[in-house]
Structure formats: C-alpha cells, structure tokens
C-alpha cells in the first residue's frame, strides 16, 4: 500500500536544475532523459508534486530469466518503499529498487 500523504503546501525547498544541451547516441538519450526528468521535477515542484525514476532491478521473470538476482515480490516491495520515501527534497531522483542512487 502506498502512502499518499506528503505534507502541506510550501514544505520542502527543492533544488531545480536546468540543462540546455544533449549529446548523441546512448549517452545522448540518457542525458535527454535526465533533462526531461529535471524539467518535470522542477515544473511540478511548485504544485507539491515529487517526481522520481526507479530501476526495478534484475527480476526473475520470463524476460529476466531464472538466474536474475531478485524475485518479483522483492522488487515490488522495494519499489513501494522507495515510492513512500519520495518527497519534494528527493524529487528528480534516479534510484534502484533498494534505494541506491542509479548511475546514468
């Protein structure tokens, strides 16, 4: 169950970042994603809406296969915990299912 309570308006003074250029290829796509995420996070910050991106991990599914690191239940539980931790101060984050900062 997700906790939708996030405090009153005006709480949390977030940091908005802006980037004006993007590269090409895989790095360019990652950079563009970062720019869009930052722009979205900044745009919604004034409405007290936090934005986060989360990697579910290498999950044992048909796609992940039997040798994947974690079960669907572990991934889902970790993601729910991350969603519940998300607030305006962490808005714009990119983290793994277990809360580590995810590299680009």
């Amino acid at each position: 169950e997700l906790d939708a309570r996030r405090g009153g308006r005006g709480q949390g003074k977030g940091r908005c970042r802006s980037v004006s250029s993007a590269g090409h290829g895989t790095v360019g796509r990652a950079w563009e994603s970062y720019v869009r995420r930052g722009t979205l996070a900044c745009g919604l910050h004034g409405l007290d809406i936090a934005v986060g991106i989360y990697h579910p991990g290498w999950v044992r599914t048909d796609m992940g296969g039997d040798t994947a690191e974690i079960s669907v239940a572990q991934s889902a539980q970790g993601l729910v915990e991350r969603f519940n931790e998300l607030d305006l101060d962490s808005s714009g984050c990119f983290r793994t299912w277990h809360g580590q900062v995810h590299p680009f």
Side-chain angles (χ1 to χ4, degrees):
E1 180 178 326
L2 297 179
D3 181 356
R5 296 166 289 161
R6 292 288 174 246
R9 290 187 66 62
Q11 289 184 329
K13 294 186 170 84
R15 299 171 305 275
C16 291
R17 295 177 289 275
S18 175
V19 184
S20 60
S21 65
H24 301 285
T26 303
V27 172
R29 284 189 297 276
W31 188 250
E32 182 179 357
S33 173
Y34 174 78
V35 171
R36 287 184 181 173
R37 174 178 50 91
T39 301
L40 180 63
C42 286
L44 295 175
H45 187 270
L47 299 173
D48 289 344
I49 298 173
V51 176
I53 298 175
Y54 300 94
H55 191 293
W58 185 24
V59 183
R60 286 187 295 271
T61 62
D62 289 344
M63 189 166 98
D66 293 336
T67 60
E69 295 175 339
I70 60 173
S71 70
V72 171
Q74 287 172 304
S75 178
Q77 180 61 39
L79 290 172
V80 167
E81 290 170 8
R82 301 298 75 78
F83 301 156
N84 283 330
E85 292 171 355
L86 181 64
D87 60 18
L88 291 175
D89 290 331
S90 62
S91 188
C93 67
F94 184 20
R95 302 201 179 186
T96 64
W97 66 276
H98 59 296
Q100 300 298 313
V101 173
H102 195 292
F104 283 94

